[in-house]
Amino acid sequence: AQSVTQLDSHVSVSEGTPVLLRCNYSSSYSPSLFWYVQHPNKGLQLLLKYTSAATLVKGINGFEAEFKKSETSFHLTKPSAHMSDAAEYFCVVSVYGGSQGNLIFGKGTKLSVKP
Amino acid sequence: KAGVTQTPRYLIKTRGQQVTLSCSPISGHRSVSWYQQTPGQGLQFLFEYFSETQRNKGNFPGRFSGRQFSNSRSEMNVSTLELGDSALYLCASSGATEETQYFGPGTRLLVL
């Protein structure tokens, strides 16, 4: 069965320092993986997606993620945090139907950015 | 291209009432999925509609229902509201051959 595990429920960084949000996945086939961001009281915005074309995926707002099959990981990084990055981030794996729908969401990681 | 829109953005209802939420997908998208988001349970899948047919359904009681119209707009209905139905309801649309879902801003429902 497909699943994602976000290893940290909360990450706090200082402005200008690197961001690392960790995600491990479980899939019986080569998965499609996504990172979404949700700012307070907003919907989810797609940051980036991996669909097997390249293991290093660049997204919006300077974020990128690397797919590592050997480690079953898809960690999200950004070289330098900005105050506007404070939000909740969801790692998501695509599945094919079922009662969980077409997307399996991690529990989310809340990113705090200190000035 | 306009994004996914949801109306209304905020709703306050009382227990026992019913509510209808609306979602307009991105132009050309024929798949619409609905999710409930709560602090305790996170994001939970409600159902997916494609070309006016329910293609997939989550584990929610029958009080939660939906439909999709010929223009791909979708509505979800919750009857006999309970306090636990207070949540952010998100809809997302995707193209026919695309896995990526694009989310609307959500409707925040408060049941008193």
Side-chain angles (χ1 to χ4, degrees):
Chain A
Q2 282 67 246
S3 67
V4 287
T5 303
Q6 291 184 245
L7 300 171
D8 306 293
S9 59
H10 194 189
V11 169
S12 182
V13 301
S14 296
E15 192 174 20
T17 64
V19 175
L20 169 64
L21 304 183
R22 300 181 295 163
C23 172
N24 285 352
Y25 70 91
S26 171
S27 178
S28 53
Y29 50 85
S30 185
S32 292
L33 292 160
F34 308 81
W35 277 99
Y36 284 87
V37 60
Q38 185 177 33
H39 288 92
N41 298 312
K42 299 284 173 119
L44 276 71
Q45 181 184 19
L46 179 68
L47 272 180
L48 51 82
K49 63 179 178 181
Y50 165 77
T51 53
S52 77
T55 56
L56 184 62
V57 183
K58 292 191 184 301
I60 61 172
N61 301 335
F63 284 94
E64 61 182 38
E66 186 171 8
F67 176 75
K68 290 187 177 179
K69 188 174 180 180
S70 60
E71 299 175 10
T72 60
S73 68
F74 189 56
H75 301 335
L76 182 70
T77 60
K78 183 173 180 177
S80 175
H82 191 272
M83 295 297 291
S84 61
D85 294 329
E88 189 158 22
Y89 293 78
F90 293 92
C91 182
V92 182
V93 64
S94 177
V95 297
Y96 293 107
S99 63
Q100 292 177 294
N102 296 329
L103 298 180
I104 305 294
F105 290 83
K107 292 192 180 303
T109 299
K110 275 204 174 97
L111 175 65
S112 300
V113 182
K114 297 173 289 189
Chain B
K1 237 184 200 181
V4 178
T5 58
Q6 292 186 246
T7 56
R9 293 293 313 279
Y10 303 93
L11 264 179
I12 300 176
K13 293 283 186 180
T14 55
R15 277 182 302 172
Q17 288 187 309
Q18 75 164 15
V19 66
T20 298
L21 312 181
S22 180
C23 172
S24 292
I26 290 171
S27 178
H29 284 187
R30 292 161 63 188
S31 171
V32 173
S33 297
W34 288 90
Y35 298 86
Q36 182 195 66
Q37 185 179 28
T38 59
Q41 300 297 319
L43 277 148
Q44 293 184 280
F45 170 72
L46 280 155
F47 27 65
E48 181 206 3
Y49 285 87
F50 180 83
S51 292
E52 302 179 66
T53 300
Q54 189 181 86
R55 189 157 71 172
N56 217 349
K57 188 178 189 310
N59 295 320
F60 276 80
R63 300 185 296 107
F64 292 82
S65 63
R67 59 178 175 168
Q68 188 179 32
F69 301 95
S70 58
N71 63 357
S72 294
R73 189 177 70 85
S74 177
E75 288 181 349
M76 67 163 280
N77 184 276
V78 188
S79 62
T80 320
L81 283 165
E82 300 177 359
L83 296 179
D85 297 333
S86 294
L88 181 66
Y89 290 88
L90 294 163
C91 90
S93 74
S94 59
T97 58
E98 192 181 2
E99 298 169 294
T100 306
Q101 294 187 20
Y102 299 90
F103 285 79
T107 294
R108 186 163 294 281
L109 172 65
L110 177 61
V111 182
L112 301 175

